[in-house]
Amino acid sequence: MKLLNPGSERWIGVLGGGQLGRMLVIAARRMGFHVLQWTGGDKSGAAGIADKVIVDDFDSASALDEFIEACDVATVEFENIPRSLMEAIEARGMPLMPGSNAVATCQHREREKRFLAENGIPCARFEVVESAEELERAHGAMAVDTILKTAEFGYDGKGQQMVEAEASAEALGEVWTRFGGVRAVLEEKVSLAAELSVLVARDREGNTVTYDPAENHHRNHILDVSILPARLSAKQLAQAREIAVTVAEKLDYRGLLAVEFFLTSEGKLLVNEMAPRPHNSGHHTIDACECSQFEQQARVLAGLPLGSPRLAQPAVMWNLLGDLWVDEKTPPDWSPVLSTPGAFLHLYGKSEARVGRKMGHVTFLGKTPEEAMARAGECLKAFGRELPV
């Protein structure tokens, strides 16, 4: 793999056209690289600042030729990229980081769960089911509340359905029918004390750095607020970092990886899922860390030394969803954000707001965790929201 020297007219190729690619463009262009985003048909506008955009579908042979010819190295902007495309890119000799096997593992819940179990990485009990009868047997064996999840292409709570412990055979049959009767993963619903995530950067030589674990709070299954540093014990935070690095090493990962955890009410850390890309819970790194997750991603792609992940200031990140917009074209009045000391507003350039759609984020910084929390809490009140305490 060739090294890409900053300012050397080299091109980074990105599969995907959303906000994660947009923020990578900002970081990479600041370092003197050019970026081509292949959106696969996405016309959201988030890719609009790239040096070049290909909007063809991901099955376009001519677009693949153009992508390979233009770029020196490639990455993915979200996990649901066709595996066949990633393998075709690798077969043409293009360095792809992370590789197709790592992305394919993370994009498919069954493969993801089996990977965790086979490598001794703690996760919730699960079983793969293919029929209503198998669902009834597996649910009965667990004898607790469970969650039925599609085997692939699920995120932000999509493709999931809760199943109560006392559900009857008839009720389970109805669940299976409503769910679509497709191969699925049945997972034990654990009693949660907290949710957290760890970002790991792993370079071409296998060197790793980890960012401070983020304490995450969700609203309607979508990340709402991340708090840094997380309000957990030093032992729990160190263990989360250690497990996240193990995941990256076992995947033979190259790039930026997010590992999401459940902390059970018994104090046990369980890996919930992995995201083979920068993560919503890491957006604070742009303003709060010495090297952002996006610059880190660009460094790995270019073969440059890993940057410092140090948290320079305590931070609270608030995810801005389309629910806040007055209508699909009209944003809210941002005055409460803009008048808050230490607040940084980031909007993603999407042309239309929808309920649940990620439109931007705000990072609140403070000299102390208490100051960052207070600033965030006061600002959120102006939008009719409350900060988790």
Side-chain angles (χ1 to χ4, degrees):
M1 295 183 188
K2 66 179 72 173
L3 301 182
L4 310 185
N5 192 36
S8 58
E9 298 296 314
R10 296 297 188 178
W11 283 77
I12 294 172
V14 179
L15 299 174
Q19 65 268 13
L20 299 179
R22 177 188 177 92
M23 287 182 271
L24 173 59
V25 170
I26 294 171
R29 290 182 69 178
R30 184 170 55 81
M31 300 171 73
F33 297 121
H34 298 296
V35 180
L36 185 159
Q37 278 193 262
W38 183 358
T39 71
D42 182 2
K43 297 181 175 61
S44 70
I49 65 171
D51 296 278
K52 188 174 183 180
V53 177
I54 300 174
V55 297
D56 300 33
D57 292 340
F58 285 134
D59 59 2
S60 168
S62 61
L64 175 59
D65 290 340
E66 183 180 356
F67 188 81
I68 294 293
E69 183 177 349
C71 300
D72 296 283
V73 65
T75 190
V76 299
E77 192 259 355
F78 69 110
E79 52 265 51
N80 293 337
I81 301 292
R83 185 173 189 171
S84 58
L85 172 59
M86 294 185 289
E87 291 175 342
I89 289 171
E90 291 172 326
R92 297 277 291 270
M94 169 70 67
L96 177 67
M97 293 179 275
S100 60
N101 183 64
V103 178
T105 299
C106 297
Q107 73 182 192
H108 192 280
R109 284 195 178 105
E110 179 182 344
R111 285 196 290 266
E112 185 177 60
K113 294 296 183 185
R114 292 195 187 281
F115 161 81
L116 295 171
E118 289 167 2
N119 286 283
I121 297 166
C123 63
R125 285 192 298 161
F126 72 94
E127 287 206 38
V128 178
V129 295
E130 295 188 86
S131 66
E133 292 74 23
E134 288 187 4
L135 172 61
E136 182 181 354
R137 177 195 55 77
H139 182 71
M142 289 191 186
V144 294
D145 290 349
T146 59
I147 308 173
L148 188 64
K149 301 180 177 181
T150 54
E152 56 187 339
F153 301 138
Y155 62 95
D156 289 344
K158 296 178 174 65
Q160 300 186 20
Q161 186 159 339
M162 297 288 301
V163 185
E164 294 182 351
E166 61 272 18
S168 65
E170 181 181 1
L172 288 167
E174 293 174 355
V175 166
W176 186 254
T177 299
R178 289 198 305 271
F179 204 69
V182 296
R183 188 176 178 90
V185 174
L186 184 71
E187 182 179 305
E188 175 185 9
K189 184 178 184 295
V190 300
S191 176
L192 286 179
E195 294 183 66
L196 60 151
S197 56
V198 177
L199 295 170
V200 183
R202 189 167 188 265
D203 69 13
R204 301 179 184 187
E205 287 73 43
N207 301 306
T208 61
V209 295
T210 58
Y211 287 84
D212 283 73
E215 175 189 336
N216 298 325
H217 297 266
H218 294 77
R219 193 167 179 263
N220 298 324
H221 302 288
I222 301 174
L223 182 65
D224 183 29
V225 169
S226 293
I227 298 171
L228 286 294
R231 297 170 294 179
L232 303 175
S233 72
K235 181 179 179 180
Q236 290 168 332
L237 298 177
Q239 184 183 10
R241 288 182 190 258
E242 181 180 343
I243 294 172
V245 169
T246 298
V247 170
E249 291 174 345
K250 295 295 185 181
L251 278 173
D252 193 24
Y253 200 85
R254 301 293 185 274
L256 205 293
L257 173 72
V259 182
E260 298 179 63
F261 292 88
F262 291 147
L263 178 66
T264 71
S265 54
E266 293 79 28
K268 186 175 182 180
L269 280 170
L270 302 176
V271 174
N272 177 33
E273 58 188 20
M274 300 101 71
R277 50 171 172 77
H279 195 256
N280 205 171
S281 66
H283 289 343
H284 70 281
T285 63
I286 298 171
D287 303 303
C289 292
E290 292 180 351
C291 179
S292 78
Q293 64 172 341
F294 299 102
E295 180 181 332
Q296 202 77 267
Q297 183 183 25
R299 284 172 176 249
V300 174
L301 292 168
L304 303 174
L306 294 173
S308 167
R310 190 179 77 86
L311 184 69
Q313 288 193 68
V316 174
M317 192 284 300
W318 179 32
N319 203 19
L320 302 176
L321 304 182
D323 314 48
L324 289 171
W325 266 238
V326 178
D327 55 47
E328 62 181 20
K329 297 289 186 180
T330 309
D333 177 4
W334 296 118
S335 296
V337 174
L338 300 175
S339 61
T340 298
F344 296 82
L345 175 65
H346 298 259
L347 298 176
Y348 302 152
K350 296 183 179 181
S351 58
E352 293 183 359
R354 297 192 299 270
V355 173
R357 191 181 197 192
K358 295 170 185 174
M359 301 295 292
H361 70 272
V362 181
T363 301
F364 301 91
L365 302 183
K367 293 179 181 178
T368 64
E370 293 75 18
E371 184 176 56
M373 292 278 288
R375 288 173 171 178
E378 283 301 311
C379 187
L380 264 65
K381 283 181 184 178
F383 293 90
R385 301 293 171 83
E386 292 185 0
L387 189 69
V389 295

